[in-house]
Amino acid sequence: MKSMWSDVEAQRMVERYAQQGVNADIALRVYTSRLLGRDPSLVLHGGGNTSVKTTVPDALGRPTSVLCVKGSGWDMAEIEPAGLPAVRLAPIVELRDLAKLSDEDMVNIQRCNLLDASAPNPSVETLLHAFLPHKFIDHTHAIAVLAVSDQPNGNDLCRELYGKRMGHVPYIMPGFLLAKRAAEVFEQDPSVEGLILEKHGIFTFGETAREAYERMIEKVAEAEGRLQKNRKAVFAPAALPKQTATAAAIAPTLRGLIARCDKGKALQRMVLDFRNGPAILNYVNGRELERYSQVGVVTPDHTIRTKNWPLVVPAPDACDVAAFRTNAEAAFAKFTQRYHDYFRRHNARQDPPKTELDAAPRVILVPGLGLFGVGASKGAALIAADIAENTIQTITDAESLGRYECLSEADLFDMEYWSLEQAKLGKGKEAKFARHIVVVTGGASGIGRATAQAFKREGAEVAILDLPGDALTTAAKTLKCAGIPCDVTDASAVKAAFAKVVETFGGVDIVVANAGKAWQGKIGTVDEQVLRDSFELNFYGYQRVGQAAVDVMTQQGFGGVLLFNVSKQAVNPGPNFGPYGLPKAAALALMRQYAVDHGADGIRANAVNADRIRSGLLTDTMIAERSKSRGVSQEDYMGGNLLAREVTAEDVAQAFISLALADKTTGAVLTVDGGNIAAALR
Ligand code: ZN
């Protein structure tokens, strides 16, 4: 751990923010907060907090003494002055005279003293920052410090390491009482440069941003040095199958078990994030994994993101995935039972009683393979996986030094079921397709792209499958989707692409088969190869995608949705369009076959029948030619339907959305053509 402080950078920040009317104290507070926030071995995803005491003008321009402290919802790595809300200092310092203060009252008083009523809530550790006199205060959950502190004799080890240079604060849950205790510890010896919070983290302080920051770096570096001294090699490996199954082979099974974790409750879809690598494998392959992985989180606020314990499933043998399924089911049953028991045990002492959270794991450890982060979105899954990786490093370090130990189960329960967290429950409505994983073939342009965008807008995680190239790269980047190269005329490419989707998100819920191309030719004379090429893409392409989807969906075991883009050609053939219309007619029949054969699996199959959409299939040149040959304007040609309105790719996308939502509809065709009675299904 080295200081990243740069005088040049610091000065640049001061000048940059001065232009926005932000004072130098706050600019430098932003600067070193980012330095800390960008190192995952110090803080992760909104963890940790920093503050500065400074003077800013109030609404009347009067100099006002404030504490600018990290606001909730802000990540230190990306913090801006707006993420350091200013709280009037004097009124909150006075709170120290109180004997007690509930978290709700504390939040309220802090909000009442904000200079900007629209600012985020100041950190729950605001009072700790306020009660200490220093100008700059930094707080992190540094891995190295936790590895030393998270030991049965952690307090002794920390005292030995830092001596009188650091104050030592016993564990108290963040809030008013911790703030008071920390101030008392400081006042016993005001020469200390910071505080070690038992099994929680570290505070450092100073008169300048640089001093507080560099004290943090120095203390963490000392802990790192201690961990290297007489370091033991851990962990002794367990016996594993000769060949372990891949992440793609087991993720849908895990996703299915997660979704049904809470018996008797609604299905709870989750998104997964898979990780492996030497440090993860060394950890999950350890013989004593069941011991050291089940102790609990390395610092209390992780419990809100990952729960206290990860789920450990047995190593999956590539030769016997069925056995893995049975074993994983048993592991899930044990995990959820333990969670319910834990809740019941600790809820008994709560007044008022708490609302039990879902029992689904947020981290799954798989010996021989790696780990999965689990969350309601890809973002949440990534955070869970980042924390899991950080936990692995901390516990590995702790075990290399001695034996890992964390806070008591009761302390962790108090954090997981904290009243401020409970108050958030049930608020914030989820988007329609939140937690859903959608695959769109031919998603890089036209109808496919509009469909991918529409699902993304409704909260889905979307994978676009298309031919490799710039269009795919650009669409994936612009729409913030996964872009997976895939030629649907190649059976093995389709399998590989679905494996990639599953590895990326954990499974599949909705598949839109859309990749297609319009071949033309008069049926009496057309070359057979043209017809075969068209069937290869416009029919077999759908069949391959349909099969790959069914494979994943049946492993998950909670159904799914297949959506086929078939053309009006499927029911109303146009002259010389046989090579395109015939496979589309077959694709319509294929959709119905899926509805018939897989309805029992909960898989719905439906199609959209679209006509005359400006796209790669109906290019501007074709539109110009056709309108000319019919002697009408291009607008009249495009709007040549009962409603006399042009149909767009977005209209088709909305039809797919409607069918995906229509829970009790299968085997249906939805027409999107502005009204073309000759193409009406009968
Ligand atoms: Zn903390």
Side-chain angles (χ1 to χ4, degrees):
M1 174 93 19
K2 282 202 180 72
S3 169
M4 304 293 281
W5 175 274
S6 146
D7 284 334
V8 176
E9 273 300 305
Q11 188 53 32
R12 203 173 289 160
M13 292 288 272
V14 170
E15 285 162 16
R16 200 180 118 203
Y17 283 109
Q19 288 167 3
Q20 300 171 24
V22 173
N23 76 27
D25 287 344
I26 298 172
L28 291 170
R29 181 65 286 173
V30 168
Y31 174 56
T32 55
S33 300
R34 286 186 191 168
L35 291 182
L36 296 169
R38 285 176 187 171
D39 187 339
S41 70
L42 292 174
V43 286
L44 274 182
H45 301 294
N49 43 62
T50 55
S51 72
V52 61
K53 297 180 183 75
T54 185
T55 305
V56 296
D58 70 3
L60 295 171
R62 293 173 301 204
T64 309
S65 174
V66 294
L67 175 76
C68 291
V69 61
K70 201 198 85 159
S72 79
W74 280 83
D75 197 318
M76 276 167 44
E78 314 289 337
I79 206 151
E80 292 287 344
L84 293 159
V87 192
R88 284 175 204 278
L89 189 55
I92 58 167
V93 169
E94 283 174 9
L95 296 174
R96 202 176 156 190
D97 294 339
L98 293 174
K100 59 180 189 202
L101 178 66
S102 75
D103 292 329
E104 287 74 11
D105 289 343
M106 179 181 80
V107 169
N108 181 51
I109 295 171
Q110 287 172 185
R111 279 213 73 80
C112 287
N113 284 290
L114 285 168
L115 288 201
D116 174 358
S118 68
N121 274 341
S123 159
V124 296
E125 277 162 335
T126 295
L127 295 183
L128 200 161
H129 289 262
F131 294 171
L132 292 169
H134 313 81
K135 189 169 177 72
F136 286 88
I137 301 179
D138 296 9
H139 168 46
T140 72
H141 301 146
I143 286 179
V145 173
L146 288 173
V148 176
S149 177
D150 286 354
Q151 300 277 340
N153 59 340
N155 291 341
D156 297 340
L157 288 170
C158 288
R159 282 205 168 83
E160 221 174 84
L161 182 60
Y162 299 116
K164 288 192 162 169
R165 292 171 303 141
M166 296 293 273
H168 300 270
V169 184
Y171 180 76
I172 300 175
M173 192 167 153
F176 179 66
L177 293 178
L178 173 61
K180 276 182 83 150
R181 189 61 192 269
E184 284 159 20
V185 171
F186 164 73
E187 282 157 7
Q188 280 163 18
D189 181 2
S191 72
V192 295
E193 298 168 12
L195 302 169
I196 298 294
L197 271 58
E198 181 187 2
K199 295 184 170 61
H200 167 171
I202 169 172
F203 277 78
T204 54
F205 23 73
E207 276 320 294
T208 64
R210 182 172 186 171
E211 186 179 40
Y213 167 73
E214 289 191 334
R215 280 176 169 173
M216 176 66 72
I217 300 302
E218 183 192 284
K219 301 299 175 291
V220 175
E222 284 175 41
E224 286 176 340
R226 177 66 187 85
L227 290 168
Q228 291 314 317
K229 218 169 74 186
N230 312 323
R231 189 179 173 94
K232 286 185 293 189
V234 289
F235 300 95
L240 291 169
K242 268 208 188 79
Q243 203 193 343
T244 314
T246 62
I250 65 159
T253 296
L254 296 177
R255 187 165 184 256
L257 292 167
I258 295 167
R260 291 185 297 266
C261 241
D262 282 291
K263 302 269 175 282
K265 287 200 191 151
L267 199 71
Q268 182 176 241
R269 287 185 170 85
M270 290 285 197
V271 181
L272 310 186
D273 181 64
F274 176 67
R275 308 271 171 102
N276 57 12
I280 296 175
L281 287 172
N282 176 57
Y283 184 88
V284 298
N285 293 352
R287 204 183 305 148
E288 289 186 67
L289 179 66
E290 284 288 351
R291 172 184 65 80
Y292 55 75
S293 74
Q294 299 300 303
V295 175
V297 290
V298 301
T299 184
D301 72 52
H302 285 180
T303 191
I304 294 162
R305 305 274 205 179
T306 64
K307 298 193 177 288
N308 294 339
W309 316 286
L311 164 67
V312 178
V313 293
D317 191 330
C319 304
D320 196 354
V321 179
F324 172 74
R325 206 183 167 84
T326 314
N327 296 337
E329 238 177 285
F332 267 83
K334 217 173 113 194
F335 180 90
T336 49
Q337 192 53 51
R338 181 184 183 194
Y339 190 78
H340 295 316
D341 292 347
Y342 151 82
F343 177 77
R344 238 172 274 134
R345 209 158 48 236
H346 296 285
N347 194 40
R349 62 181 165 87
Q350 304 295 321
D351 182 26
K354 307 285 187 180
T355 306
E356 187 173 359
L357 303 170
D358 73 75
R362 295 301 189 274
V363 175
I364 303 178
L365 305 177
V366 191
L369 188 61
L371 70 85
F372 290 91
V374 180
S377 64
K378 181 67 183 177
L382 282 168
I383 290 176
D386 280 351
I387 293 177
E389 272 201 71
N390 179 289
T391 301
I392 284 175
Q393 199 188 329
T394 312
I395 297 178
T396 304
D397 281 349
E399 291 273 317
S400 304
L401 174 67
R403 194 179 174 91
Y404 174 64
E405 187 189 86
C406 73
L407 295 166
S408 76
E409 197 183 86
D411 285 326
L412 296 177
F413 179 90
D414 288 346
M415 197 70 193
E416 187 177 2
Y417 284 87
W418 196 8
S419 59
L420 297 180
E421 287 295 322
Q422 288 264 303
K424 293 182 196 163
L425 293 179
K427 298 201 178 139
K429 204 167 163 272
E430 283 196 314
K432 269 186 208 130
F433 290 103
R435 304 164 177 268
H436 287 70
I437 298 155
V438 179
V439 175
V440 183
T441 73
S445 61
I447 291 171
R449 187 186 157 122
T451 304
Q453 188 168 19
F455 276 107
K456 184 77 196 177
R457 213 185 295 132
E458 301 290 353
E461 307 295 344
V462 180
I464 294 175
L465 271 51
D466 212 315
L467 295 173
D470 289 348
L472 175 60
T473 318
T474 311
K477 206 172 151 201
T478 319
L479 305 182
K480 297 195 171 72
C481 295
I484 298 171
C486 177
D487 175 357
V488 295
T489 65
D490 175 350
S492 62
V494 172
K495 277 196 183 133
F498 269 78
K500 185 78 193 157
V501 172
V502 167
E503 204 186 296
T504 308
F505 295 114
V508 169
D509 297 296
I510 298 166
V511 173
V512 183
N514 163 74
K517 192 177 150 192
W519 274 271
Q520 299 188 49
K522 202 166 202 159
I523 202 67
T525 53
V526 70
D527 193 290
E528 185 177 315
Q529 195 55 45
V530 172
L531 213 49
R532 285 188 184 277
D533 286 347
S534 182
F535 263 89
E536 202 55 57
L537 176 63
N538 293 319
F539 172 77
Y540 285 107
Y542 282 28
Q543 166 60 359
R544 290 181 194 108
V545 166
Q547 281 196 339
V550 163
D551 180 34
V552 177
M553 289 168 183
T554 46
Q555 287 178 60
Q556 289 173 158
F558 52 76
V561 180
L562 298 178
L563 296 168
F564 287 3
N565 186 5
V566 301
S567 161
K568 77 105 202 187
Q569 296 291 335
V571 288
N572 176 22
N576 301 329
F577 261 95
Y580 181 57
L582 291 165
K584 285 293 191 178
L588 178 61
L590 180 69
M591 173 277 282
R592 289 177 169 156
Q593 199 62 48
Y594 271 103
V596 169
D597 288 349
H598 292 285
D601 299 319
I603 297 172
R604 298 188 291 113
N606 294 292
V608 171
N609 227 7
D611 189 18
R612 222 170 276 186
I613 317 292
R614 209 180 283 273
S615 72
L617 297 180
L618 179 60
T619 61
D620 289 346
T621 330
M622 287 160 78
I623 295 167
E625 277 168 15
R626 288 183 196 182
S627 50
K628 202 173 156 199
S629 77
R630 291 178 199 196
V632 295
S633 71
Q634 289 193 26
E635 285 89 70
D636 282 350
Y637 172 71
M638 290 308 285
N641 53 46
L642 297 176
L643 296 171
R645 289 161 76 183
E646 179 174 344
V647 183
T648 65
E650 179 57 28
D651 296 321
V652 183
Q654 287 310 317
F656 282 124
I657 294 274
S658 311
L659 286 171
L661 288 170
D663 264 347
K664 308 287 166 64
T665 299
T666 191
V669 183
L670 185 52
T671 301
V672 187
D673 60 5
N676 172 357
I677 210 68
L681 287 152
R682 63 192 115 157

